[in-house]
Amino acid sequence: MPTKLLVFSALCSLAFAKSMDCRMKVHESVSAPPQGYVSKGPAPADTELNLRIALAQSDPDGLIDALYNVSTPGSLAYGEHLSKEDVEKFAAPTAQTSDAVKAWLNHAGVNATPISAAGDWLSIALPVNQANKLFDADFAIYTHSETGKQTIRTMKYSIPTELKDHIDLVHPMVAFPSPVSLRPVVSTSSDLERRATKHPANCSTSEVTPACVESLYDIPPIKVTQRHNQLAVSGFENEFANQADLQTFLEQFQPDIKGATFTLQTIDNGTNPQNGSEAGFEANSDIQYAISISHGVPTTFISAGPNNTDGDLDGHLDMALFLLGESKLPQVLTTSYGFDESDLPRKLSHKLCHVYAQLGARGMSLLFGSGDGGVSGLQSQTCNATFVPTSPSGCPFVTSVGATQLVSSHGGETAAPFSSGGFSDFFFRPKYQADAVKSYLSSIGSTNSGLFNASGRAYPDVSAIGTNLSIIIDGRLKILDGTSFSSPIFAGMIALINDALLRAGKRQLGFLNPFLYKNPRAFHDITTGSNPGCNTTGFPALKGWDAVTGLGTPNFKALKEAALKAARVPHPHPIETECTMQDVLSV
Ligand SMILES: *[C@@H]1O[C@H](CO)[C@@H](O)[C@H](O)[C@H]1NC(C)=O
Ligand SMILES: *[C@@H]1O[C@H](CO)[C@@H](O)[C@H](O)[C@H]1NC(C)=O
Ligand SMILES: *[C@@H]1O[C@H](CO)[C@@H](O)[C@H](O)[C@H]1NC(C)=O
Ligand SMILES: *[C@@H]1O[C@H](CO)[C@@H](O)[C@H](O)[C@H]1NC(C)=O
Ligand SMILES: *[C@@H]1O[C@H](CO)[C@@H](O)[C@H](O)[C@H]1NC(C)=O
Ligand SMILES: *[C@@H]1O[C@H](CO)[C@@H](O)[C@H](O)[C@H]1NC(C)=O
Ligand SMILES: *[C@@H]1O[C@H](CO)[C@@H](O)[C@H](O)[C@H]1NC(C)=O
Ligand SMILES: *[C@@H]1O[C@H](CO)[C@@H](O)[C@H](O)[C@H]1NC(C)=O
Ligand SMILES: *[C@@H]1O[C@H](CO)[C@@H](O)[C@H](O)[C@H]1NC(C)=O
C-alpha cells in the first residue's frame, strides 16, 4: 500500500499543481458480484478494456429547468426549443473539469476520445494491467452460471480525490450486465396466422388494423404536408424492418399511402438486411404502425448494430448520444425495447435519463412502450418481494405508453392485463404528474402497499391499443400483442399533430408530459381492468390517471385542438429539421 501511494503522489505532482490532494478515493464499489456470477480469477493483464468516463456537466439542473420552460404550456418559453449549442452549454464539462481529467489521463499515457457532442462522455481503451493501476482496481473474469456469459468487472475502483467532483462515473466497472439484456416488448403469445380480412375498417376484437385504430381514436384521413416533419423508429437486437412487408401491409390496410417507405440510419455497425426470412416481429410491428398511423410522415428506421460499447446498455446509450450529435433531429422517436429498472445501475440510469432530457429540450418527443409483464416487469416473471418497475419508463423525461384491448360487448376499451405500470425506485415523482398520481394513490388506499415505491415517478403516462394487432411478416399476416404497438401508434398520432402545428407555422410538441397532464380531457379515460403479476391482481384502472393505462387513450381531434391552442407563434429562429430525408410522399 505505501508503495502504491508513493507512485500516485509522484504521478500527481507531475501532472497537477502541488497543492492538489492526490490520494486515491474509492468512487464506486460493490461487496460481491450479483447472484449467478462466479469469479474465475484475475483478468489477463493484456486484455483490452473499453471504458467510458462520464464527466460532471457544467449545469445539469439548468438543463432540466430549461426543458420544463420550453415544454410547459403557459410558460413564456413554451415551444422555444433549445439549439444543439444551447444544450451543449449545459451538458459540457467546465474547462476545469476537462483539464483536470485530461491531465490525469495524459500523464498515465491514456488516450481519451470524446463520444458525445458536448464532450461530457469520454471513451478510453486500455489493457487490464493499466486499468488496475489507473483505477486502483481488481479486474477479474466473472462467469454467469446460467448463460455462461463471461464478463470482466471489478468490485471497486478509485480515482484521485481531486477528481471526485469532476467524474460522475466510469462504466462498465462495478455494474454487471443483467443476464437478460435489452428486450423487445412485442409478445408472440397469441401468434395466430390468418387470412386477410376484407373489411379492415371494422374493429374486431380478434384482428385490430390501422383502420380500426383510426376509428377508435377519431383520426381522420389526413394528407400530411410537412416534409421536414420526421418520425424515427429505433431498432435493436438484430430486429430488421422489411420494406416489402411494409408495402404489403399498406396495400392491405392503408392503401391511401401505399408506396410509402422508410429511410435507414445505422449506428454501431447496424444493418437492415431485406431477406423476408430476416424480418423482425418487433421491427416490422413498429415500422408498420408508425407509418400507417402517421399517414406517411417521413420515417427513419435507426438500426443499432452489435458493435456497441455502452456496456450493459446494448446500444441504447449509443443511440441517444448519436442523436444528440445530430444537428437536425427527428421530432418524434418511438422505442419498443426496454429493461427492468433493477437491471441497470442507478447512476447509469440517471445519466441515460439526462441524455433524454437533453433531446427533449431540443424539441424531441421520446415514446417508449411501458413493458408487457404487468406489475412484474418488462415481461411476465416470478417476483421476489416487490413489483418490478421498468426502464426507461421510470425516467420522468420520456413518455411511457401502456396498452389496452377491445371489449367485444360494447366496442370500447379496457386495460390490457399485460400493460406494465407502476412506480420507479430510481426517480422521484415529477411535478407535472403530482396531482394526478396523488388522487390515484388516495383512491387505491392500502392496495399493494409495501410492494411499490409510492414516492417514485409513476407510469405509464398514456396508453393505446396493444392486443390482437395485425402485422405482415415475411409476407404473411400475423396477430400479436404488446405495448410494442401502443408506442408507435401514439407516436404516429403525435407526428400527425406535429404536421398540423408546423403547417400552422408553430413548433412541434417536443417533450410531451407537461402538456399531456394538463389536458386529461383529450383522452378516453380507461376505468376497467388491471395489470396482474407478482401474485397480485396488480393496479386497477380507475377514473383519472392510473398505473395501468395512464391518462387513457388519445382522442386525436381533442389532442390536436389542445396542441394548436397551447402553441404560440415562435420567435424567428431556424426550426430544426431533417433535410436529407428522401421524399416519401406520393402525393
Ligand atoms: C426558466 O424560466 C424561469 C421563469 O421564467 C426563469 O427564471 C429561468 O431562468 C428559466 N431557466 C432557464 C434555464 O431558461
Ligand atoms: C362493417 O361496419 C359497417 C358499418 O358499421 C357494417 O355495415 C358492415 O356490415 C360491417 N362489415 C363487417 C364485415 O363486419
Ligand atoms: C384476441 O383474439 C383471440 C383469437 O381470436 C381471441 O380469442 C381473444 O379473445 C382476443 N383478445 C381480445 C382481448 O379480444
Ligand atoms: C464489429 O467490429 C469488429 C472490429 O472492429 C469488426 O471486425 C466487425 O466486422 C464489426 N461487426 C460488424 C457487424 O460490422
Ligand atoms: C463500424 O463502426 C465503426 C465505429 O463507428 C466505424 O469506424 C466502422 O467504419 C464501421 N464499420 C463498418 C463496416 O461499418
Ligand atoms: C433468404 O433467406 C433464406 C433462409 O435463410 C434463404 O434460403 C434464401 O436463399 C435467402 N434469399 C435470398 C434472396 O437471399
Ligand atoms: C430476484 O432475486 C434474485 C436474487 O437476488 C435475482 O437474481 C432476480 O433477478 C430477482 N428477480 C426479480 C424479478 O427481480
Ligand atoms: C423510492 O424512490 C426514491 C426516489 O427514487 C428513492 O430515493 C428511494 O430509495 C426509493 N425507495 C426504495 C425502497 O427503493
Ligand atoms: C403466490 O401465492 C401462493 C398462494 O398464496 C403461494 O403458494 C406462492 O408461493 C406465491 N408465489 C410467490 C412467488 O410469492
Side-chain angles (χ1 to χ4, degrees):
M1 215 48 201
T3 16
K4 221 173 209 174
L5 266 180
L6 259 179
V7 170
F8 283 116
S9 4
L11 183 157
C12 197
S13 59
L14 283 171
F16 307 113
K18 287 266 180 331
S19 62
M20 194 166 160
D21 183 349
C22 288
R23 277 166 304 180
M24 295 292 277
K25 191 168 188 320
V26 173
H27 202 53
E28 285 188 276
S29 66
V30 292
S31 51
Q35 207 179 8
Y37 280 100
V38 181
S39 171
K40 297 286 177 190
D46 58 352
T47 300
E48 178 144 294
L49 299 174
N50 286 298
L51 304 174
R52 292 179 169 208
I53 301 177
L55 302 181
Q57 300 179 335
S58 305
D59 191 4
D61 298 340
L63 183 277
I64 302 301
D65 203 28
L67 169 69
Y68 280 123
N69 279 358
V70 302
S71 313
T72 308
S75 145
L76 278 178
Y78 183 61
E80 300 293 328
H81 304 130
L82 278 65
S83 66
K84 179 169 184 282
E85 292 69 31
D86 290 341
V87 166
E88 284 165 14
K89 274 184 210 136
F90 288 105
T94 62
Q96 199 195 1
T97 292
S98 339
D99 291 351
V101 175
K102 265 187 210 142
W104 173 57
L105 293 173
N106 279 347
H107 189 266
V110 175
N111 219 353
T113 317
I115 50 166
S116 66
D120 56 332
W121 287 86
L122 303 176
S123 160
I124 59 173
L126 73 182
V128 162
N129 58 350
Q130 196 181 5
N132 277 338
K133 252 189 236 154
L134 186 65
F135 294 105
D136 204 358
D138 52 7
F139 281 100
I141 297 181
Y142 294 88
T143 305
H144 189 255
S145 41
E146 264 169 57
T147 60
K149 203 168 153 184
Q150 277 204 348
T151 186
I152 295 180
R153 291 293 188 270
T154 174
M155 291 292 101
K156 66 173 172 45
Y157 70 94
S158 301
I159 56 174
T161 308
E162 202 72 16
L163 296 181
K164 161 173 90 56
D165 294 331
H166 296 306
I167 291 179
D168 282 352
L169 59 86
V170 185
H171 174 77
M173 302 286 271
V174 297
F176 280 71
S178 102
V180 274
S181 51
L182 186 70
R183 279 153 291 167
V185 288
V186 74
S187 147
T188 54
S189 62
S190 66
D191 172 17
L192 303 172
E193 271 183 43
R194 289 165 180 283
R195 278 193 305 172
T197 167
K198 288 225 172 55
H199 298 278
N202 295 42
C203 273
S204 137
T205 53
S206 54
E207 189 181 343
V208 175
T209 62
C212 167
V213 174
E214 290 178 347
S215 78
L216 273 176
Y217 302 144
D218 212 359
I219 309 174
I222 295 171
K223 273 207 172 86
V224 298
T225 59
Q226 304 298 298
R227 289 178 193 176
H228 297 319
N229 185 29
Q230 260 234 340
L231 174 55
V233 174
S234 57
F236 297 92
E237 301 283 297
N238 285 324
E239 280 278 349
F240 306 124
N242 190 280
Q243 297 274 16
D245 284 343
L246 172 65
Q247 285 324 309
T248 309
F249 183 82
L250 293 177
E251 276 160 28
Q252 175 86 47
F253 297 118
Q254 197 66 304
D256 289 358
I257 56 158
K258 71 173 186 240
T261 60
F262 57 89
T263 51
L264 177 67
Q265 171 75 60
T266 62
I267 63 163
D268 292 341
N269 299 121
T271 54
N272 194 36
Q274 289 299 302
N275 187 330
S277 69
E278 291 185 84
F281 282 86
E282 182 62 77
N284 269 16
S285 307
D286 299 349
I287 211 81
Q288 289 172 16
Y289 278 85
I291 290 179
S292 61
I293 298 305
S294 74
H295 289 256
V297 164
T299 299
T300 302
F301 180 65
I302 311 178
S303 175
N307 273 351
N308 65 72
T309 52
D310 59 6
D312 315 334
L313 291 166
D314 299 310
H316 230 48
L317 177 58
D318 285 349
M319 190 172 295
L321 291 179
F322 160 78
L323 286 166
L324 264 188
E326 294 283 280
S327 53
K328 319 283 186 201
L329 286 177
Q331 288 86 347
V332 178
L333 173 69
T334 176
T335 302
S336 293
Y337 303 76
F339 304 91
D340 288 336
E341 190 173 68
S342 53
D343 288 345
L344 302 181
R346 182 187 292 254
K347 266 193 183 176
L348 190 60
S349 298
H350 276 267
K351 289 300 285 187
L352 179 65
C353 182
H354 197 275
V355 177
Y356 292 141
Q358 293 169 54
L359 290 169
R362 286 182 59 188
M364 251 181 115
S365 305
L366 301 167
L367 298 113
F368 288 85
S370 68
D372 288 359
V375 290
S376 83
L378 203 70
Q379 275 145 15
S380 182
Q381 63 189 321
T382 308
C383 308
N384 293 327
T386 56
F387 290 167
V388 184
T390 63
S391 172
S393 282
C395 169
F397 311 122
V398 306
T399 301
S400 170
V401 189
T404 60
Q405 63 190 27
L406 291 173
V407 180
S408 52
S409 52
H410 60 78
E413 292 168 274
T414 184
F418 58 79
S419 180
S420 289
F423 295 77
S424 167
D425 287 327
F426 284 3
F427 296 93
F428 281 115
R429 181 140 62 250
K431 216 160 73 188
Y432 60 74
Q433 61 171 197
D435 290 344
V437 177
K438 198 173 149 206
S439 17
Y440 181 69
L441 286 173
S442 90
S443 306
I444 63 170
S446 63
T447 309
N448 299 328
S449 84
L451 295 174
F452 67 96
N453 189 333
S455 62
R457 184 277 205 256
Y459 68 96
D461 298 298
V462 295
S463 51
I465 187 130
T467 307
N468 282 350
L469 274 292
S470 318
I471 66 158
I472 299 290
I473 180 126
D474 200 6
R476 309 168 79 144
L477 184 71
K478 295 264 183 181
I479 311 288
L480 302 174
D481 297 341
T483 51
S484 277
F485 290 97
S486 313
S487 184
I489 287 172
F490 196 80
M493 294 172 66
I494 295 301
L496 271 180
I497 292 174
N498 283 341
D499 182 80
L501 285 168
L502 296 179
R503 193 180 329 169
K506 299 180 172 185
R507 296 244 202 274
Q508 74 268 20
L509 282 165
F511 169 47
L512 296 168
N513 297 2
F515 163 74
L516 300 176
Y517 282 84
K518 273 180 191 279
N519 288 284
R521 291 213 180 84
F523 292 85
H524 305 285
D525 193 1
I526 308 299
T527 58
T528 57
S530 70
N531 52 1
C534 303
N535 244 355
T536 73
T537 54
F539 289 107
L542 296 176
K543 193 165 180 304
W545 182 91
D546 58 66
V548 201
T549 64
L551 296 164
T553 60
N555 173 332
F556 178 78
K557 279 189 181 150
L559 205 56
K560 183 177 136 189
E561 284 313 306
L564 282 164
K565 203 167 145 214
R568 299 162 49 244
V569 177
H571 294 146
H573 77 70
I575 298 175
E576 293 196 356
T577 49
E578 173 63 73
C579 301
T580 56
M581 267 300 303
Q582 102 184 46
D583 178 11
V584 301
L585 305 177
S586 49
V587 283

